[in-house]
Amino acid sequence: MTATAMRSQCCGEIGIADVGSKVQLCGWVAHRRDHGEHLAFVDLRDHTGIIQCVLDGSVEVRSEWVVRIEGTVRRRPEGTDNPDLATGQVEVSQCEVEVLAEAEAPPFPVDDRVSADEMLRLRHRYVDLRRPRMQANIRLRARVMGALRDSMASQGFCEVETPLLWTPTPEGAREFTVPSRLHKGEFYVLPQSPQLAKQLLMVGGVDRYFQLARCLRDEDLRADRQFEFTQLDLEASFVDQADIQRAVTEAVLAATRAALGDDIDVPGVETFTWREAMERFGTDKPDTRFGIELVDLTAVFESTEVKAFSAPCVKAIVVPGGAVMGRSQLDSLVQQAKSLGAKGLAWFKVISVAPLVVESPLDKFISITERESLVDVSQASPGDLIAVVASDWRTACSVLGQLRLATGRPGIHEGGLRYCWVTEFPMFDGLDEQGRPQAAHHPFTMPHPDDVHLMASDPLSVRSQAYDLVLNGWELGSGSIRVHREDIQRQIFDALGIGFAEAEERFGFLLGAFRYGAPPHGGFAVGVDRLVALLAGEENIREVIAFPKTQSGTDPMTNAPRELAPGVLRDLGLQVIPRNS
Ligand code: ASP
């Protein structure tokens, strides 16, 4: 299959079965070892692997030269097999070498075992991509994209491309703008997601849409965030939340199998309501690969005399074996809790349970019953440490959620793959300075049917029909059932303080379209870069993107972003304000 006019097969495909055959191979010189004047070993590399070739020492080839080698496959001499190489039992002998391109010495070794400076890797990304790790990641990504596409198509979703030159979308991030040459002084906006376009497709009767969509957000870059990223974006009509969750789960599990093999063991996908996720894991993106769940001690300290515990909510985590922590470790735990927003953190070391002996600076202040219930409710065993935070509910949950990760989170390669759904997110995310609720998702998210009546009177307790998919503590994607009724949409805009004129100005075309017959609809978007990174065991999505940006948003290979020539600026009707003014 890999045979072309220039080669009979690829390097990594050669094995015992080829012994005695003549082969033509093409690739890069990975290593050269000279053994005297007349004997040289050259490791030839292509995207499938490496094969050892035996040459005459007079042949001139150097590292990373591109060559075509013709020779005969033979069994390696007794005792010289290389068990680390897939092709390690054979070699190509009697080689004739044709140099296809010479190469300068590479800026860093093309070898996974040697770590190279990030800037250097990105400046010469084409060399970096030759490394087996990058080759594996790029190909894993292609398998994931292919499986997602196949799965969506087989589930009856229709692939539609939506515009990149667009108008603001309501995802809440800063946007990239593109000046218009034909309409000077006017701008396009690059889409943060195809959100509005896909809703319009539903009005257009497409029924089930998907796209492997490029999205652009001008936000600070992080390990799991680049300016440009790819979403499996989908939307469907006449569905409920469970329909969308089912379709997404099927696609994501198909991609997981395509990436890691059919026999990969993925435990059932659990569902937590947002409230439950916060209560148990202290976060809306729970990493369920490990326990250390939060325990609620509010009832234990309900009528406490201890001031530190008189708060609306008292919660704890039990750190297994944590009783061995010394003073400085405990102090840093307390500091960590404070830096995360807690007033303090109380700790109790469980020394024994019968008789009950607990060590803590607060032990002499709590009552006997409190001590007993503390250990009982938290189900701590001797040798454990109970870390307690007393605060408002949200702070107690989120501080302990982060301490839970800090104390127990497995490494990226450990604990397998644990997907879960988080549902019933709050509709609003607290109040702004003017006391107005802030949308937690985009403003077209449908409120929970049981909570619509609370929209004006108690907006912060309104749940939405929004849901997230989480993998090993990473938010993989989100979606919602949308508002397709004008009366509910107005109530949401009212709650958000978006007046009629503003709504018309920002989303008039969508609201207008809805007047022409909008089906009930909902959708989702899966972050493909994050999914691929997790499946590849990479901590940074840069490792699974062919040409990513640096942390500061630059591309050292092309030198983007860069200044434009004055003529280009003039054509666009732009004038640049000097940097230091
Ligand atoms: N547009 C949303 C996002 O990019 C996903 C969705 O609600 O479908 O997060």
Side-chain angles (χ1 to χ4, degrees):
M1 261 197 329
T2 46
T4 65
M6 294 188 76
R7 66 179 173 208
S8 58
Q9 64 240 80
C10 285
C11 299
E13 293 169 354
I14 298 179
I16 290 285
D18 299 296
V19 169
S21 333
K22 230 177 157 59
V23 291
Q24 295 88 36
L25 304 169
C26 295
W28 286 259
V29 173
H31 295 285
R32 176 191 176 119
R33 294 176 301 283
D34 284 294
H35 283 244
E37 229 180 283
H38 290 297
L39 182 62
F41 291 100
V42 159
D43 287 340
L44 186 67
R45 176 192 353 97
D46 66 16
H47 68 283
T48 60
I50 279 179
I51 178 87
Q52 176 167 292
C53 303
V54 189
L55 324 180
D56 190 279
S58 62
V59 177
E60 202 200 349
V61 288
R62 297 200 210 135
S63 244
E64 300 309 314
W65 282 24
V66 187
V67 295
R68 178 169 183 269
I69 292 184
E70 187 161 344
T72 307
V73 180
R74 72 175 183 202
R75 185 81 183 78
R76 284 197 192 198
E78 181 98 39
T80 63
D81 282 7
N82 180 354
D84 295 335
L85 216 55
T87 60
Q89 290 182 302
V90 292
E91 60 190 8
V92 182
S93 64
Q94 295 155 19
C95 292
E96 280 181 33
V97 180
E98 181 188 348
V99 175
L100 302 174
E102 294 183 6
E104 286 179 21
F108 48 85
V110 183
D111 189 333
D112 284 343
R113 290 163 299 188
V114 184
S115 66
D117 171 67
E118 180 80 27
M119 281 302 269
L120 210 54
R121 287 181 59 199
L122 293 182
R123 182 165 314 130
H124 302 278
R125 189 59 157 183
Y126 39 82
V127 173
D128 193 38
L129 286 172
R130 287 182 205 158
R131 290 161 29 132
R133 167 183 168 194
M134 295 309 293
Q135 286 284 323
N137 288 354
I138 293 298
R139 281 159 215 283
L140 184 141
R141 185 185 180 105
R143 292 202 299 282
V144 166
M145 304 268 279
L148 292 173
R149 175 173 270 130
D150 289 350
S151 172
M152 295 315 290
S154 75
Q155 295 185 67
F157 285 78
C158 170
E159 186 167 2
V160 183
E161 287 168 298
T162 54
L164 278 180
L165 294 177
W166 191 241
T167 188
T169 32
E171 308 287 352
R174 190 179 297 118
E175 291 161 320
F176 285 100
T177 43
V178 179
S180 161
R181 177 182 57 84
L182 294 178
H183 304 273
K184 291 197 181 36
E186 295 180 11
F187 297 85
Y188 300 97
V189 169
L190 299 178
Q192 299 184 39
S193 82
Q195 183 60 41
L196 299 181
K198 67 178 174 176
Q199 293 194 240
L200 291 170
L201 289 173
M202 294 304 104
V203 185
V206 171
D207 195 80
R208 291 186 151 215
Y209 139 92
F210 86 96
Q211 178 179 198
L212 288 161
R214 304 298 292 277
C215 305
L216 296 113
R217 298 184 190 181
D218 188 1
E219 290 192 309
D220 289 347
L221 286 80
R222 294 192 313 220
D224 61 355
R225 200 190 271 164
Q226 282 270 320
F227 288 157
E228 306 171 50
F229 56 97
T230 305
Q231 288 185 341
L232 166 66
D233 192 49
L234 59 110
E235 195 77 14
S237 297
F238 311 116
V239 289
D240 68 4
Q241 182 169 322
D243 292 315
I244 299 287
Q245 285 179 244
R246 216 175 300 117
V248 173
T249 305
E250 189 172 324
V252 166
L253 291 183
T256 306
R257 286 191 296 273
L260 303 177
D262 278 337
D263 44 3
I264 178 81
D265 180 30
V266 184
V269 182
E270 281 181 281
T271 299
F272 308 104
T273 64
W274 176 83
R275 181 97 204 166
E276 190 186 358
M278 292 299 289
E279 289 280 6
R280 289 176 55 185
F281 305 99
T283 173
D284 55 15
K285 35 180 192 285
D287 188 337
T288 53
R289 287 176 298 164
F290 68 109
I292 316 189
E293 292 190 17
L294 278 53
V295 279
D296 200 293
L297 301 174
T298 313
V300 172
F301 293 104
E302 203 171 15
S303 41
T304 190
E305 305 270 290
V306 183
K307 244 179 110 193
F309 294 142
S310 54
C313 175
V314 185
K315 279 185 166 284
I317 53 169
V318 176
V319 184
V324 293
M325 283 191 200
R327 201 66 216 198
S328 67
Q329 264 178 299
L330 290 164
D331 286 348
S332 92
L333 204 62
V334 174
Q335 276 319 315
Q336 229 177 316
K338 284 187 178 163
S339 70
L340 294 169
K343 280 214 191 72
L345 173 129
W347 53 262
F348 296 86
K349 291 180 176 181
V350 183
I351 307 301
S352 73
V353 280
L356 181 59
V357 180
V358 161
E359 194 188 306
S360 166
L362 288 178
D363 188 46
K364 51 181 179 298
F365 301 113
I366 61 173
S367 68
I368 295 172
T369 341
E370 282 171 346
R371 183 187 310 125
E372 279 170 0
S373 338
L374 165 71
V375 176
D376 197 37
V377 173
S378 61
Q379 296 190 330
S381 309
D384 292 348
L385 178 102
I386 310 173
V388 186
V389 171
S391 191
D392 60 280
W393 178 78
R394 228 170 159 145
T395 308
C397 291
S398 68
V399 170
L400 285 165
Q402 295 188 62
L403 292 183
R404 171 180 178 267
L405 290 178
T407 45
R409 191 171 203 181
I412 191 143
H413 298 284
E414 295 156 14
L417 295 170
R418 299 295 289 257
Y419 289 98
C420 66
W421 283 101
V422 179
T423 61
E424 296 184 15
F425 272 74
M427 187 79 187
F428 303 104
D429 230 3
L431 305 172
D432 65 13
E433 300 93 60
Q434 282 117 46
R436 272 199 306 253
Q438 294 176 298
H441 211 64
H442 48 67
F444 308 114
T445 300
M446 185 73 111
H448 194 287
D450 298 347
D451 297 351
V452 178
H453 65 285
L454 298 170
M455 197 86 77
S457 56
D458 186 9
L460 292 190
S461 67
V462 177
R463 290 164 297 165
S464 68
Q465 293 189 57
Y467 34 87
D468 274 8
L469 180 64
V470 176
L471 172 57
N472 293 2
W474 285 36
E475 183 196 316
L476 265 197
S478 28
S480 61
I481 296 298
R482 324 296 183 189
V483 181
H484 70 285
R485 270 177 40 195
E486 205 173 341
D487 56 334
I488 300 180
Q489 190 66 68
R490 295 255 163 253
Q491 287 181 47
I492 295 170
F493 284 151
D494 282 351
L496 293 172
I498 299 178
F500 181 79
E502 188 186 342
E504 282 298 324
E505 151 73 18
R506 284 171 63 188
F507 319 117
F509 62 98
L510 180 73
L511 302 176
F514 278 8
R515 287 176 207 129
Y516 290 94
H521 59 284
F524 199 78
V526 181
V528 172
D529 311 272
R530 290 183 186 179
L531 174 62
V532 175
L534 284 164
L535 296 177
E538 293 287 2
E539 310 211 14
N540 196 311
I541 61 171
R542 270 205 300 260
E543 305 296 349
V544 298
I545 296 174
F547 298 106
K549 302 279 185 290
T550 60
Q551 193 73 21
S552 59
T554 62
D555 177 0
M557 186 174 64
T558 62
N559 280 331
R562 50 165 84 213
E563 289 172 2
L564 291 177
V568 179
L569 288 175
R570 213 175 310 115
D571 279 353
L572 293 171
L574 294 180
Q575 204 171 10
V576 175
I577 301 173
R579 227 170 273 178
N580 297 324
S581 68

